[in-house]
Amino acid sequence: MTRFVVLFMLILSALFVAELLPPVELHVIDPFTNGIAQVCVWLVGLFDAHAFSIGKELHSSANGFAISIERGCNGVEAVIILIAAMLAYPAPWRYKLLGIGLGFLAIQALNLVRIISLFYIGQWNRVWFDWFHLYLWQALIVLDALVAFLIWLRWLPRAAAVAAPAVQGSDGT
């Protein structure tokens, strides 16, 4: 357990520092966040023709409301927590990589729901927008990372089931 906690904290720290580096922000985080805005507009566009994006912002041409997807709102931090936990846990690399990929998709899918719901809640009521944005959705995204990690742990093969049976001696013992 100590090994896991120490590795988790080291990996988590390294990934959070890397995320803050200007080249990573410019070439990874910003394009990713802009892509999230475009996906949200595409999804919203399936039932609402008034939505459009400019960079990382979602706008409504119907009433002028807009939200901006900022650092902390793009799901990257929750993904970093999940990656650190999966890399720190002693498991085969193929399970780690598959878990990270599927966990990333789960977090980002929920984050799309989050952003789109906030886009409409904000058009309806600013007080409710602030409450959902600052309290409910923040907790749910981190909880999503935790649930993804716990599901991944349950999905890993048990060490006892994977281990080869003991070889018996010539006398049958």
Side-chain angles (χ1 to χ4, degrees), residues 18-72:
E19 178 201 17
L20 296 174
L21 296 174
V24 173
E25 185 169 357
L26 179 66
H27 298 293
V28 178
I29 303 300
D30 288 344
F32 178 73
T33 305
N34 293 345
I36 290 172
Q38 291 174 356
V39 171
C40 286
V41 166
W42 178 81
L43 289 170
V44 168
L46 296 174
F47 55 87
D48 180 356
H50 297 289
F52 64 96
S53 68
I54 299 173
K56 61 184 180 179
E57 298 174 350
L58 271 69
H59 294 262
S60 173
S61 61
N63 57 24
F65 181 79
I67 60 172
S68 180
I69 306 168
E70 297 296 332
R71 182 178 295 282

Side-chain angles (χ1 to χ4, degrees), residues 12 15-16 18-20 24-25 28-33 36 69-84 104 107-108 111 114-115 141-142 145:
L12 188 69
L15 291 175
F16 273 126
E19 178 201 17
L20 296 174
V24 173
E25 185 169 357
V28 178
I29 303 300
D30 288 344
F32 178 73
T33 305
I36 290 172
I69 306 168
E70 297 296 332
R71 182 178 295 282
C73 298
N74 56 11
V76 170
E77 288 77 10
V79 170
I80 286 174
I81 293 167
L82 180 69
I83 289 172
F104 172 85
I107 290 168
Q108 290 306 321
N111 199 45
R114 171 186 182 262
I115 293 167
I141 292 297
V142 174

Side-chain angles (χ1 to χ4, degrees), residues 116-136:
I116 293 170
S117 73
L118 290 173
F119 181 65
Y120 285 105
I121 291 169
Q123 293 178 59
W124 172 64
N125 185 300
R126 179 60 192 220
V127 172
W128 281 98
F129 170 85
D130 289 339
W131 190 85
F132 272 82
H133 177 249
L134 296 174
Y135 301 110
L136 182 67

Side-chain angles (χ1 to χ4, degrees), residues 146-173:
L146 175 62
V147 168
F149 180 67
L150 293 174
I151 290 171
W152 177 76
L153 286 176
R154 297 276 304 173
W155 177 66
L156 288 175
R158 298 281 179 237
V162 176
V167 177
Q168 292 183 347
S170 61
D171 61 351
T173 58

